[in-house]
Amino acid sequence: MALNPQLVNSHPHNHAVTSSGQGLPAPVPVSFGPHEHFFLLRNGVMLSLDGLGPSASAAVKNVPGVIYLSNVRMVFVLSKPDASAGGMYAFDFPLAYIRTERFHQPIFGANNLTANCFSTADDGGPNGARPPHALTLYFREGGVGTFLPLFFQLVQQARDLNAAAPPPPGVSPVAPTPAQTSQMVQTAYIDPNDPTQVYLVTGRGTQPSAPPLIQRHGW
């Protein structure tokens, strides 16, 4: 997990059109060049996350925002930056670092997805010294018939690529290529009750040609 990944505030930097024909709402995550394509956008979500801050004692609770899902990571962009927590505006969750993901349908309250995600700091990752962050995503609007299967498949795909040789602390995990992921997304079931928007076209924008695959300013 990393704090405050780079975002852009205008559409021309990230040429993409969703399944509904709409452009992407700003701000949007900056892709890591041709190595990464964002495939999904999901509104109406709230995030709770612990283990933040230098002492890992801070947390955010039920903050609203938007999920962007790519072949490399899930990015949660807050609807409004949290000035009380040091200016947090987004969280970056590498798919290969996500563990123990579970979907819950409580009798009372919103459907939610819980998981753990390792830090991207130098002493983080699956083989690092830092414990993972516990996160919960609350789906406050509509169903999850489109988002959930693709999320589980993308996480498993990233995990399988790193299973044989897990990266040591401070080394980026191997990520599936956009080509490996695009067929999965193109044939995904579209749930009419799920407000998730599927990207039909994602441009490379103006990003460097060979950037790192994960952020390193993580907690």
Side-chain angles (χ1 to χ4, degrees):
M1 194 281 297
L3 174 67
N4 292 345
Q6 186 179 1
L7 307 178
V8 292
N9 290 309
S10 57
H11 298 158
H13 292 278
N14 224 349
H15 302 290
V17 177
T18 64
S19 57
S20 64
Q22 300 173 338
L24 300 183
V28 299
V30 175
S31 70
F32 295 146
H35 306 285
E36 179 180 36
H37 283 189
F38 283 92
F39 292 100
L40 301 180
L41 176 155
R42 173 63 190 249
N43 285 293
V45 184
M46 300 181 76
L47 170 71
S48 291
L49 180 68
D50 72 5
L52 303 176
S55 63
S57 60
V60 294
K61 297 294 184 182
N62 301 329
V63 292
V66 179
I67 293 173
Y68 295 91
L69 189 62
S70 80
N71 57 304
V72 177
R73 56 187 169 142
M74 176 176 68
V75 181
F76 185 90
V77 180
L78 278 65
S79 299
K80 182 179 180 181
D82 188 348
S84 66
M88 297 179 189
Y89 58 80
F91 297 98
D92 195 332
F93 302 99
L95 299 181
Y97 280 5
I98 293 176
R99 297 291 188 275
T100 62
E101 60 277 7
R102 298 287 187 274
F103 180 64
H104 309 275
Q105 294 179 290
I107 297 175
F108 301 103
N111 292 340
N112 61 85
L113 176 69
T114 58
N116 292 323
C117 186
F118 290 102
S119 170
T120 63
D122 289 340
D123 57 348
N127 295 317
R130 295 198 185 198
H133 301 271
L135 65 102
T136 304
L137 295 169
Y138 298 95
F139 299 91
R140 309 287 295 183
E141 301 176 7
V144 290
T146 299
F147 176 86
L148 206 62
L150 284 172
F151 171 81
F152 282 131
Q153 290 180 71
L154 288 168
V155 168
Q156 190 62 52
Q157 185 182 51
R159 186 177 298 157
D160 289 346
L161 286 173
N162 292 273
V171 176
S172 297
V174 177
T177 66
Q180 289 174 308
T181 305
S182 60
Q183 182 64 28
M184 178 198 309
V185 175
Q186 291 171 10
T187 59
Y189 168 70
I190 304 300
D191 180 357
N193 297 313
D194 185 341
T196 296
Q197 299 184 60
V198 180
Y199 291 34
L200 299 179
V201 179
T202 304
R204 297 183 179 180
T206 58
Q207 309 316 314
S209 58
L213 287 179
I214 59 174
Q215 304 281 334
R216 281 294 165 204
H217 52 288
W219 275 334

